[in-house]
Amino acid sequence: MKRTSTRLADGREILYFDADDGAARAVVPDPRPLDAPANSCEVRRDPLLGDAVVIASHRQGRTYHPPVDACPLCPSTEGRASEVPAPDYDVVVFENRFPSLAGDNGRCEVICFTPDHRTSFAELDEERAALVLAAWTDRTAELSARAGVRQVYCFENRGAEIGVTLAHPHGQIYAFPFITPRTTRMLATVAAHRARTGANLFDEVLAAERAEGTRIVLEGEHWSAFVPYAARWPYEVHLYPHRRTADLTTLDDAARAEFPALYLELLRRFDRLFDAPAPTPYVSAWHQAPVDGEGRADFALHLELFTVRRTADKLKYLAGTESGMEAYMNDVRPEDAAARLREVASR
């Protein structure tokens, strides 16, 4: 992998990740007359729950469903400058122009998986998927070393049903100045289990799913994908490396090599779930350990993939019980979801 770092017209960093490690990439300047990026980010604490909430009112003006010929994530062409000045790229990462977190409050980056607007992650080849994994790892390492960063979160939202406003295949990387509420709850549960039993809860969950088997979707030599016992979403899969590790930077070479084929197969199965005109909408989320703290040693890196679609023409909305009380009601039995995902193996 070859990495090239430069700056956009407003001073934001942009990094090109190329599979070819030969000749240096020619840096193309950004010709746009851009003002300095807006930054009204503020982190507040909910006094009752203790959760951090980000206030970022400037994001109301962000780009919203542009036509294909005005997509800001496609490479620039003659007569049209985008967020990516180069005429082509493999994988590119740049600071978000409309960040939820910036300055002392962290950082938000956009990662584009391919220059092809009309494709998806599931249609990438294994080499490109491996390059995306390398880029996620690079950003996790670099952002984790920044002052004030507590946790790095790599994720992809796909589909208008999820709320995506740019259709180009891309994800995001957040460097949080706090440990997220979901991770905080996991850490507390894992710490209580360690104190009570002396064992690691992540290890026990993975071992139990592999032994029981009915919710396993895919299993490789170094990874297992399963529908969790208490899945909250109609189709939800968790992907764990067999060797527990804190984050992407400490993933071993064998697991890193096996990941692309297995992950692509998982995404392709999601696309085969429904006979629907549009691809399956989903969220794909890497859960990584906090940068520091006592809980890091017991945390297990894993990926969570879920869709809000429950049938070809019905969506799972977060209604009063979920939105108001965080009490999830799932219409699909996890064992049935796993069976369906095994049934739709890509051919």
Side-chain angles (χ1 to χ4, degrees):
M1 180 192 76
K2 179 178 62 191
R3 190 185 94 154
T4 305
S5 175
T6 185
R7 296 280 171 179
L8 296 173
D10 55 6
R12 288 175 295 134
E13 186 177 19
I14 181 169
L15 302 108
Y16 296 93
F17 293 86
D18 294 300
D20 180 9
D21 60 0
R25 167 178 282 273
V27 175
V28 179
D30 182 1
R32 298 172 298 170
L34 297 179
D35 295 329
N39 178 8
S40 62
C41 308
E42 181 183 356
V43 178
R44 300 183 181 183
R45 286 281 175 184
D46 182 311
L48 297 180
L49 298 176
D51 293 346
V53 177
V54 177
I55 310 298
S57 58
H58 64 277
R59 283 176 53 79
Q60 287 280 30
R62 66 187 184 273
T63 308
Y64 188 81
H65 292 300
V68 174
D69 61 1
C71 174
L73 307 185
C74 290
S76 292
T77 59
E78 187 174 350
R80 191 188 76 83
S82 74
E83 285 282 80
V84 186
D88 196 14
Y89 60 82
D90 287 348
V91 173
V92 67
V93 175
F94 56 86
E95 290 183 74
N96 198 320
R97 190 176 177 188
F98 302 96
S100 298
L101 302 163
D104 294 338
N105 287 323
R107 175 155 153 154
C108 292
E109 299 180 341
V110 175
I111 175 169
C112 299
F113 308 133
T114 169
D116 186 351
H117 183 92
R118 299 185 186 276
T119 191
S120 69
F121 200 123
E123 296 178 78
L124 302 181
D125 60 25
E126 292 181 26
E127 182 181 17
R128 182 62 56 85
L131 184 60
V132 174
L133 177 61
W136 281 330
T137 304
D138 175 280
R139 302 317 301 141
T140 296
E142 188 165 299
L143 294 172
S144 294
R146 292 172 65 94
V149 170
R150 301 295 310 283
Q151 187 177 10
V152 178
Y153 176 46
C154 306
F155 64 102
E156 179 193 1
N157 300 329
R158 186 178 80 162
E161 300 92 334
I162 294 293
V164 173
T165 57
L166 297 175
H168 193 103
H170 74 288
Q172 299 180 66
I173 304 168
Y174 277 29
F176 285 104
F178 53 84
I179 300 173
T180 60
R182 178 83 178 274
T183 304
T184 298
R185 289 197 292 273
M186 278 194 279
L187 289 170
T189 303
V190 169
H193 186 81
R194 173 70 79 183
R196 185 173 63 254
T197 70
N200 181 274
L201 183 56
F202 286 112
D203 291 348
E204 292 190 351
V205 166
L206 177 59
E209 291 292 353
R210 296 182 70 193
E212 204 275 338
T214 59
R215 289 177 297 276
I216 292 288
V217 175
L218 283 170
E219 192 159 30
E221 185 178 351
H222 304 285
W223 296 85
S224 287
F226 59 89
V227 177
Y229 173 75
R232 299 169 302 159
W233 298 95
Y235 291 90
E236 175 183 345
V237 175
H238 292 190
L239 179 61
Y240 277 70
H242 293 167
R243 185 184 71 83
R244 175 165 47 90
T245 191
D247 61 28
L248 289 167
T249 68
T250 51
L251 192 64
D252 65 37
D253 291 342
R256 197 174 295 279
E258 187 180 72
F259 173 80
L262 197 145
Y263 182 54
L264 289 170
E265 172 65 17
L266 192 57
L267 292 181
R268 290 163 187 166
R269 292 191 187 198
F270 261 61
D271 275 346
R272 295 171 66 90
L273 276 172
F274 308 103
D275 183 17
T280 301
Y282 65 71
V283 173
S284 178
W286 280 109
H287 291 271
Q288 304 198 83
V291 170
D292 52 27
E294 293 181 3
R296 182 174 172 84
D298 261 348
F299 196 87
L301 168 75
H302 61 284
L303 184 139
E304 177 184 3
L305 176 68
F306 67 86
T307 179
V308 297
R309 186 171 286 164
R310 54 191 175 94
T311 69
D313 59 354
K314 294 183 178 70
L315 298 180
K316 163 67 177 177
Y317 291 100
L318 294 188
T321 56
E322 291 93 355
S323 296
M325 296 302 291
E326 293 188 28
Y328 281 76
M329 313 290 171
N330 192 350
D331 298 322
V332 180
R333 188 169 173 265
E335 291 75 14
D336 295 337
R340 176 63 179 154
L341 283 161
R342 289 193 296 268
E343 175 186 300
V344 295
S346 61
R347 294 185 289 273

